[in-house]
Amino acid sequence: MSDLLSQDEIDALLRGMSESSLHEAISDQDKDVLGEIGNISMGTAATTLSILLNQKVSITTPIVSVLKWDELPKEFPVPYVAIKVVYKEGLDGVNLLVLKKEDVEIIADLMMGGSGSIEFSEELSELQLSAIQEAMNQMVGSASTSLSSMLNLKIDISPPEAFVIDFAQNAEEMIPELKRADEIVKVAFRMTIGDLIDSQIMQLIPVDFAKQLVNAMLNSTLSTSSVQEKSEPKTSAQESAKTIEKTVKSEQSKKQQTGASLQSFQPKKEEKSERVYNVSPVQFESFDEEEERRYPENIELILDVPLEITVELGRTQKLVREILEFSTGSIIELDKLAGEPVDILVNGKVIAKGEVVVIDESFGVRITDIVNPSNRL
């Protein structure tokens, strides 16, 4: 009997070693930390997307798994839309967001002011890719801000790039960084948008970058714990993830504690004695301004999200033949009278009225009226 191994036995040993090293690369504790990072950052991104689409958006329930590059075509058998995010500062790596093509078409339609009830096409247009790229740009920006707060790092990313990807054909050309990594962490989230979408949005992260995220999170958690608790730092990844979650919710806890302390306060009873009291009518302050300034408790999560402000002088409608007759010097009559307040729009929504002023050599707008102050968000 020969002592040499057959090719089948060699292949089986290599597969066993590969699977063993794959499981050692990302432990269950690391998966818990990655899930917590994704849960918090995607929660912030969902808030931003909700504002953009004017729909209720929920991105929850992260499920973390580890894949080999060769397994991606089986996981994603049809063409998907990928958004590539490159980290330039604070972290060094690539993150890939993956969405179903049908979900992208609905989001793009909502971004362009539609209802989301559409007939799906075979291919995405450049306009649809631009719309989803802008939506993801806003989402990833707010998620990076949240991640920066969690890790106590200044994080900067390149503008996200959106493209259609087929993992069985052009994935190696589109995302060579993941091909070189070979081992990839997939974080899948359930995403619901109103009653239009109930699907998944997925993150694909190279294992090396995933380990970098875990180490940054643990280091941040340990330093926070040592300063606040002045005790021996915890090394468990699960405990570290829970500490981070508590830190993010600290402001809400402080407010609840303050409310409880006010409720528990009871004035001391005055001892019976002959005293003269000055009695006067009670005058209460007006709470109108306070009501206008009452924002959601988690508003700080999106304070750094950039919004586009537009001042609209007026509008009009013309026929195609009239537009074709335009030439240099043509005058277009608008639907507003001279001196009438102009509209101030934020991301296409009217929030205020104003009057045009001149500041040095530039135009400006002085706000004269706030439209629906309670609905500005």
Side-chain angles (χ1 to χ4, degrees):
M1 184 174 181
S2 174
D3 293 333
L4 298 177
L5 295 176
S6 66
Q7 185 61 44
D8 292 339
E9 291 172 331
I10 293 174
D11 293 341
L13 286 173
L14 290 175
R15 282 196 300 270
M17 293 174 62
S18 176
E19 292 175 0
S20 175
S21 62
L22 185 61
H23 290 297
E24 290 175 1
I26 296 293
S27 65
D28 290 338
Q29 292 179 344
D30 294 338
K31 290 180 181 179
D32 291 336
V33 175
L34 290 170
E36 192 61 36
I37 293 173
N39 199 24
I40 297 174
S41 59
M42 277 297 182
T44 308
T47 303
T48 304
L49 188 60
S50 178
I51 295 173
L52 289 175
L53 305 183
N54 197 25
Q55 293 277 342
K56 182 180 179 182
V57 178
S58 176
I59 302 178
T60 56
T61 319
I63 300 175
V64 184
S65 58
V66 184
L67 303 172
K68 299 284 288 182
W69 172 266
D70 296 337
E71 296 172 348
L72 291 179
K74 297 179 182 178
E75 288 286 325
F76 306 96
V78 295
Y80 280 73
V81 176
I83 296 88
K84 182 178 177 182
V85 182
V86 179
Y87 290 82
K88 301 190 300 182
E89 184 178 353
L91 297 170
D92 183 17
V94 174
N95 183 10
L96 199 72
L97 289 173
V98 181
L99 299 94
K100 292 181 179 178
K101 173 180 165 294
E102 292 79 7
D103 298 341
V104 168
E105 290 188 73
I106 294 175
I107 294 173
D109 185 66
L110 292 172
M111 283 284 292
M112 293 183 288
S115 63
S117 300
I118 59 173
E119 294 183 2
F120 300 116
S121 57
E122 293 185 2
E123 295 184 359
L124 290 174
S125 66
E126 290 296 328
L127 187 59
Q128 289 173 319
L129 283 176
S130 298
I132 192 63
Q133 185 165 301
E134 178 60 26
M136 293 300 109
N137 187 26
Q138 300 285 349
M139 283 182 62
V140 173
S142 59
S144 298
T145 302
S146 178
L147 188 61
S148 177
S149 300
M150 282 190 289
L151 304 183
N152 292 323
L153 289 174
K154 181 183 178 183
I155 296 177
D156 189 19
I157 61 173
S158 299
E161 177 187 357
F163 49 86
V164 178
I165 186 169
D166 187 338
F167 286 93
Q169 296 182 5
N170 63 346
E172 188 172 349
E173 301 175 3
M174 296 291 189
I175 43 173
E177 297 88 352
L178 265 67
K179 169 61 177 176
R180 290 195 295 267
D182 192 42
E183 297 171 354
I184 301 157
V185 177
K186 183 183 82 169
V187 186
F189 302 86
R190 181 186 177 190
M191 178 179 68
T192 59
I193 300 179
D195 56 358
L196 299 170
I197 294 177
D198 188 351
S199 184
Q200 280 190 333
I201 179 172
M202 290 151 285
Q203 283 183 316
L204 296 182
I205 312 170
V207 165
D208 291 343
F209 185 44
K211 294 290 288 184
Q212 185 184 157
L213 285 172
V214 171
N215 292 334
M217 174 65 84
L218 294 180
N219 291 336
S220 173
T221 305
L222 292 178
S223 61
T224 303
S225 300
S226 61
V227 171
Q228 292 181 350
E229 300 177 6
K230 296 182 180 179
S231 60
E232 183 179 354
K234 300 175 183 179
T235 56
S236 169
Q238 282 183 313
E239 294 175 348
S240 301
K242 291 178 181 178
T243 304
I244 284 296
E245 187 177 7
K246 292 177 182 178
T247 303
V248 173
K249 298 179 181 178
S250 61
E251 290 299 324
Q252 182 177 0
S253 300
K254 289 178 182 178
K255 292 179 181 179
Q256 292 175 351
Q257 291 172 4
T258 303
S261 64
L262 289 174
Q263 291 177 359
S264 62
F265 173 76
Q266 298 291 337
K268 296 181 179 180
K269 294 183 179 180
E270 295 289 343
E271 297 180 359
K272 292 183 179 180
S273 61
E274 295 182 359
R275 299 178 63 181
V276 179
Y277 297 93
N278 293 324
V279 180
S280 60
V282 178
Q283 295 182 355
F284 296 100
E285 294 184 6
S286 173
F287 290 94
D288 293 340
E289 294 183 1
E290 200 65 31
E291 284 294 326
E292 291 182 4
R293 296 176 185 175
R294 184 174 298 169
Y295 300 131
E297 293 182 354
N298 60 348
I299 186 66
E300 67 275 2
L301 297 177
I302 60 170
L303 290 181
D304 293 329
V305 176
L307 300 176
E308 181 179 339
I309 299 179
T310 307
V311 177
E312 186 176 281
L313 184 62
R315 295 189 181 191
T316 189
Q317 290 185 344
K318 296 290 184 182
L319 300 176
V320 173
R321 70 169 65 91
E322 294 175 313
I323 295 175
L324 293 176
E325 292 174 356
F326 284 172
S327 61
T328 304
S330 297
I331 297 176
I332 303 174
E333 183 179 354
L334 303 179
D335 60 355
K336 285 195 176 183
L337 300 175
E340 189 175 352
V342 297
D343 292 332
I344 302 172
L345 302 90
V346 174
N347 275 23
K349 304 293 183 181
V350 178
I351 68 157
K353 302 284 187 179
E355 58 182 6
V356 179
V357 297
V358 177
I359 305 172
D360 294 333
E361 297 181 356
S362 302
F363 283 114
V365 177
R366 179 187 292 112
I367 296 176
T368 57
D369 183 34
I370 299 293
V371 178
N372 237 349
S374 61
N375 293 332
R376 270 179 287 177
L377 296 179

